[in-house]
Amino acid sequence: MKKTVSLHTLGCKLNFSETSTIGKEFLKNGYSIVDFDSKADIYVFNTCTVTENAEKECRQLVRRALRNNPDAFVIVTGCYAQLRPEEIAKIEGVDAVLGSNEKFRIFSLLNDFTKKELSCIYVSPLDELNQFGKANSTEADSRTRAFFKIQDGCDYKCSFCTIPLARGKSRSMNPDEVLSEFKSLVDEGYKEIIFTGVNVGDYGKNFDTNLYHLLLKMIDVEGDFRIRISSIEPNLLSDEIIDLTASSEKMCKHFHIPLQSGSADILKLMQRRYTVDDYRNVIEKVVDKIPECGIGIDVIVGFPGETEKHFQETYKFLTELPFSYLHVFTYSERPNTKAISLPGKVEVNERKKRNNMLRILSDKKKNAFYNSLIGSELEVLFEAENDNGFIKGFSSNYVRVAIPFDENLVNNFAKVKVKEVSDGLAISELKEMKNSFELRCL
């Protein structure tokens, strides 16, 4: 009987792509992958350290796994493991702690997966975090969307962030390897490839190139696909990338652009690399060139020193911006960051209140964006699941679309016409299937 492994990811899309690659190594070594709630012989947790909650969740998940199988071998890797390995090693039941360099070397580092009394720690020091570990992931088994890691690490010194400590300096995948891996994903049938990394817009410095020139090569690849950039810093979203996105059908009309604060004072304290005016100018350029563009924004509330006045500056700034959704984060004290020693700590209840206000604003903006598209046509990549008689997918501009289920649409692009908005979905009708043996015009 095959040995089994369960893999669980905390954190960002980059972590998901790396977990998928770890899973492939287990498959190569004769293991079967099972769901987290199933009894497994090995549990692997790929962790995050952006917030305190992610760390608490890691501890809870380890305990939950051992309730399923007290004899299971437990491996914890990822950013939390890199930063505080001794802390993780003390969690009852953890057998191995692997740092950022070690996460792809499980089978060379661990000779067997038998539980022992003491945890083994394999973590390289920060100055040795210079390797690039290849990774790409998929969503379920639908052969629809793949997350493709092209960059790792970060050279920025934002005062709230531990990621440079957990992942090291910015480094990129060789452009020739990116092209080869990209072609393989297209050949395997993935129709949307999402470029991920810690700071994707910083791609290529160690190869004397940049993200724009990489994208130029990718859109020349033959095949029926589109490219989405997972997230890009406002100071790295160049006019060339905006123009290319506007002109190429293979580029998704969607940018996720972190802001973090709409207050000039707080941005300075955060040590971000742009001003409020810089950010507004980038958004205006995007909307001018791509009026239908979906725009996502990251915001942190409750940063040390953020008074009610500063928060209202952020709120007002956001109300004036044309965006389609927010990702709102409540500031969390991170050890070994500059922000933790800043004065002006914001009470936890106040942080939660501000978070809730921005989430409500996000819902309003998203609803307004979706409603603005009623009557228009969108090109959508549909997924496999039959959800109560509907099939769903994302448009190029990251609108969640639903139409009556049709199995011919699975992993295919199709044009739809938006009819109404309901429960966060653009309810639509099919207009035309693209590159298919069947063509329908309604």
Side-chain angles (χ1 to χ4, degrees):
M1 187 173 176
K2 274 189 175 184
K3 291 273 191 178
T4 56
V5 62
S6 175
L7 303 110
H8 194 86
T9 306
L10 298 166
C12 61
K13 297 292 193 294
L14 175 57
N15 274 8
F16 278 94
S17 70
E18 292 178 336
T19 300
S20 183
T21 297
I22 293 168
K24 289 170 191 172
E25 284 302 306
F26 275 95
L27 292 173
K28 284 180 189 175
N29 282 274
Y31 285 77
S32 295
I33 297 176
V34 297
D35 291 337
F36 178 70
D37 288 325
S38 303
K39 182 178 179 180
D41 297 303
I42 302 172
Y43 290 89
V44 180
F45 298 95
N46 191 8
T47 61
C48 171
T49 187
V50 169
T51 68
E52 184 181 6
N53 287 338
E55 295 173 7
K56 287 180 180 176
E57 190 175 356
C58 175
R59 299 185 200 105
Q60 293 167 355
L61 288 168
V62 169
R63 290 194 288 268
R64 190 168 135 200
L66 291 172
R67 283 198 295 270
N68 288 336
N69 182 8
D71 297 321
F73 193 89
V74 175
I75 301 169
V76 179
T77 187
C79 294
Y80 181 24
Q82 177 67 37
L83 288 177
R84 286 192 286 291
E86 290 82 8
E87 187 176 302
I88 296 171
K90 291 176 184 175
I91 298 174
E92 188 175 350
V94 171
D95 297 286
V97 183
L98 305 182
S100 297
N101 269 355
E102 292 74 22
K103 69 178 70 169
F104 300 118
R105 297 170 52 209
I106 290 174
F107 285 91
S108 63
L109 291 171
L110 304 175
N111 295 323
D112 72 278
F113 299 103
T114 305
K115 289 193 82 64
K116 300 174 180 64
E117 284 192 28
L118 297 175
S119 298
C120 296
I121 297 176
Y122 302 91
V123 176
S124 301
L126 177 62
D127 60 4
E128 292 181 18
L129 297 184
N130 49 24
Q131 302 173 17
F132 185 88
K134 294 182 185 178
N136 60 71
S137 78
T138 64
E139 286 195 342
D141 58 355
S142 62
R143 293 277 185 242
T144 298
R145 307 173 77 214
F147 294 98
F148 181 20
K149 173 185 171 184
I150 63 168
Q151 186 274 342
D152 201 351
C154 188
D155 295 338
Y156 290 7
K157 292 180 171 59
C158 300
S159 61
F160 54 82
C161 188
T162 57
I163 290 175
L165 299 174
R167 286 187 172 267
K169 291 184 177 181
S170 180
R171 56 205 182 272
S172 304
M173 190 177 190
N174 184 298
D176 293 335
E177 289 186 88
V178 174
L179 185 59
S180 176
E181 295 277 339
F182 186 88
K183 287 179 177 177
S184 294
L185 289 169
V186 173
D187 290 343
E188 288 170 24
Y190 297 105
K191 298 290 181 72
E192 180 172 305
I193 298 167
I194 303 150
F195 284 175
T196 68
V198 174
N199 189 354
V200 176
D202 203 35
Y203 175 85
K205 282 197 305 189
N206 51 322
F207 292 104
D208 196 28
T209 186
N210 59 37
L211 181 59
Y212 169 67
H213 288 105
L214 181 75
L215 292 170
L216 284 178
K217 289 182 180 179
M218 298 304 112
I219 64 173
D220 279 342
V221 172
E222 289 188 11
D224 190 24
F225 65 86
R226 67 190 185 192
I227 298 167
R228 195 181 297 277
I229 301 170
S230 60
S231 179
I232 186 165
E233 293 286 308
N235 54 299
L236 297 175
L237 181 50
S238 65
D239 292 350
E240 290 86 359
I241 293 175
I242 295 171
D243 290 341
L244 181 65
T245 301
S247 62
S248 174
E249 288 188 4
K250 288 186 173 178
M251 292 295 298
C252 285
K253 308 300 185 275
H254 166 228
F255 292 115
H256 190 95
I257 313 169
L259 167 65
Q260 310 309 7
S261 177
S263 163
D265 293 339
I266 300 303
L267 271 187
K268 285 181 183 177
L269 289 173
M270 289 179 166
Q271 297 182 180
R272 300 292 284 166
R273 295 196 174 195
Y274 51 86
T275 66
V276 172
D277 288 339
D278 293 336
Y279 191 92
R280 180 188 291 106
N281 290 338
V282 169
I283 299 296
E284 288 176 352
K285 280 182 189 176
V286 169
V287 174
D288 180 58
K289 294 287 179 69
I290 316 166
E292 75 281 13
C293 192
I295 298 173
I297 297 176
D298 287 343
V299 190
I300 297 172
V301 295
F303 188 81
E306 184 188 66
T307 63
E308 179 64 23
K309 176 177 177 290
H310 292 133
F311 174 70
Q312 289 299 332
E313 287 172 355
T314 294
Y315 191 91
K316 181 176 184 294
F317 182 69
L318 288 168
T319 60
E320 295 169 353
L321 286 183
F323 65 88
S324 48
Y325 65 92
L326 294 175
H327 284 172
V328 187
F329 300 89
T330 301
Y331 172 74
S332 181
E333 284 81 0
R334 301 288 77 210
N336 301 315
T337 60
K338 194 171 181 178
I340 199 168
S341 61
L342 291 174
K345 181 177 177 180
V346 180
E347 292 299 321
V348 172
N349 285 342
E350 182 61 28
R351 297 182 208 182
K352 290 179 180 178
K353 173 189 159 189
R354 293 174 187 179
N355 183 301
N356 188 54
M357 286 179 67
L358 288 188
R359 286 180 184 273
I360 292 170
L361 176 62
S362 177
D363 289 342
K364 290 178 179 177
K365 286 281 192 174
K366 180 180 176 182
N367 190 57
F369 182 66
Y370 276 36
N371 273 285
S372 73
L373 297 170
I374 291 175
S376 63
E377 292 188 1
L378 301 174
E379 186 168 277
V380 178
L381 176 59
F382 284 100
E383 298 154 7
E385 187 179 355
N386 184 336
D387 187 356
N388 294 318
F390 283 87
I391 187 169
K392 297 175 182 176
F394 282 104
S395 66
S396 171
N397 57 352
Y398 210 59
V399 170
R400 191 69 168 154
V401 171
I403 68 171
F405 184 81
D406 181 342
E407 64 181 0
N408 292 313
L409 291 171
V410 173
N411 198 32
N412 268 314
F413 290 108
K415 283 188 178 179
V416 304
K417 185 175 183 179
V418 181
K419 297 183 71 177
E420 61 177 313
V421 177
S422 177
D423 295 327
L425 292 168
I427 309 300
S428 306
E429 63 179 8
L430 180 64
K431 299 300 291 182
E432 180 182 307
M433 291 179 66
K434 178 182 175 184
N435 297 335
S436 174
F437 60 87
E438 181 180 7
L439 186 68
R440 298 182 177 192
C441 293
L442 300 180

